Amino acid sequence: NAGVTQTPKFRVLKTGQSMTLLCAQDMNHEYMYWYRQDPGMGLRLIHYSVGEGTTAKGEVPDGYNVSRLKKQNFLLGLESAAPSQTSVYFCASSYPAPGYTFGSGTRLTVV
Amino acid sequence: AQTVTQSQPEMSVQEAETVTLSCTYDTSESDYYLFWYKQPPSRQMILVIRQEAYKQQNATENRFSVNFQKAAKSFSLKISDSQLGDAAMYFCAYLNDMRFGAGTRLTVKP
């Protein structure tokens, strides 16, 4: 079972460039999430989705956009990358069972 | 905003000894789950243990157990017979609110 797959695993961007991170899950989960992980701050929620076609803002949504056109996919976009967006990004999915299944993360560096 | 607090940024334990990681949380709900996740250097987030709030009995998974104090909103993780492979970041999570603590880095000394 693949579970939650994130692509790419690593990326270096120049300031002002755009990119899309893809998250795909094969568990028929309803909910999907994007988090960023920074040292000393744990995981902070960027955006989430409670079903196909729905999205909502989390704790740190500025500078990011998301889309959930298909139930199995949740895309995170950076329209104009900034050095402050250098981070490790995690996608997760859940529901109906409690608890998250995580992807393996994407390390993004913005120079 | 509801919070999850891990007050120990770093902890250290001798191999084969026991260590307890602390977590407190804030909620007004009565029915919820709490989780501990482990993140080894590989970066993968791994579920260690979960606790259902309406259950009186503390959850256990092999060498891992929790001390869940609902009234005090405390949820600590005890690791018994620590092994070198237990070295990792540990995150407490209250997922009803999609929140994680800041993490505790556990070092295991041989």
Side-chain angles (χ1 to χ4, degrees):
Chain A
N1 291 334
V4 178
T5 302
Q6 284 185 238
T7 53
K9 292 189 175 0
F10 301 92
R11 184 74 187 268
V12 178
L13 282 181
K14 293 183 178 179
T15 298
Q17 287 185 321
S18 64
M19 77 163 293
T20 300
L21 280 67
L22 172 63
C23 178
Q25 52 96 2
D26 63 0
M27 298 168 289
N28 203 33
H29 282 171
E30 290 294 329
Y31 298 174
M32 296 186 76
Y33 315 84
W34 277 107
Y35 285 85
R36 61 176 288 172
Q37 182 182 12
D38 303 291
M41 304 188 77
L43 280 77
R44 292 182 294 166
L45 183 66
I46 304 171
H47 287 280
Y48 65 100
S49 168
V50 298
E52 181 179 309
T54 74
T55 63
K57 293 180 180 180
E59 181 184 357
V60 288
D62 293 344
Y64 306 95
N65 56 77
V66 289
S67 64
R68 184 118 181 252
L69 299 180
K70 294 183 178 180
K71 185 177 184 178
Q72 63 267 36
N73 295 337
F74 195 30
L75 279 63
L76 177 71
L78 287 72
E79 291 186 347
S80 179
S84 61
Q85 294 177 304
T86 293
S87 188
V88 176
Y89 292 85
F90 282 97
C91 176
S93 69
S94 72
Y95 192 77
Y100 288 179
T101 300
F102 281 91
S104 58
T106 297
R107 179 174 293 280
L108 174 66
T109 302
V110 182
V111 297
Chain B
Q2 296 177 337
T3 59
V4 178
T5 303
Q6 293 180 247
S7 58
Q8 307 151 317
E10 296 183 352
M11 291 285 284
S12 179
V13 63
Q14 204 72 34
E15 194 175 7
E17 306 254 309
T18 296
V19 64
T20 299
L21 309 184
S22 301
C23 174
T24 59
Y25 60 96
D26 181 29
T27 184
S28 56
E29 299 180 42
S30 59
D31 188 17
Y32 50 89
Y33 288 86
L34 292 160
F35 302 84
W36 278 98
Y37 283 88
K38 171 185 178 181
Q39 186 182 43
S42 67
R43 200 172 69 199
Q44 184 66 47
M45 294 287 286
I46 302 164
L47 176 65
V48 175
I49 199 166
R50 77 180 190 195
Q51 173 76 44
E52 300 170 81
Y54 64 86
K55 286 191 174 180
Q56 298 287 338
Q57 188 173 8
N58 289 326
T60 62
E61 288 286 344
N62 301 315
R63 297 182 296 106
F64 297 88
S65 61
V66 300
N67 183 5
F68 174 51
Q69 302 289 330
K70 190 174 183 178
K73 298 189 174 101
S74 171
F75 181 59
S76 60
L77 175 69
K78 185 171 83 171
I79 306 174
S80 304
D81 186 25
S82 297
Q83 300 176 359
L84 295 177
D86 295 333
M89 283 290 291
Y90 287 82
F91 293 97
C92 177
Y94 176 78
L95 296 182
N96 280 36
D97 202 33
M98 298 174 278
R99 287 193 176 269
F100 289 78
T104 297
R105 181 175 300 280
L106 179 65
T107 302
V108 181
K109 298 180 179 178

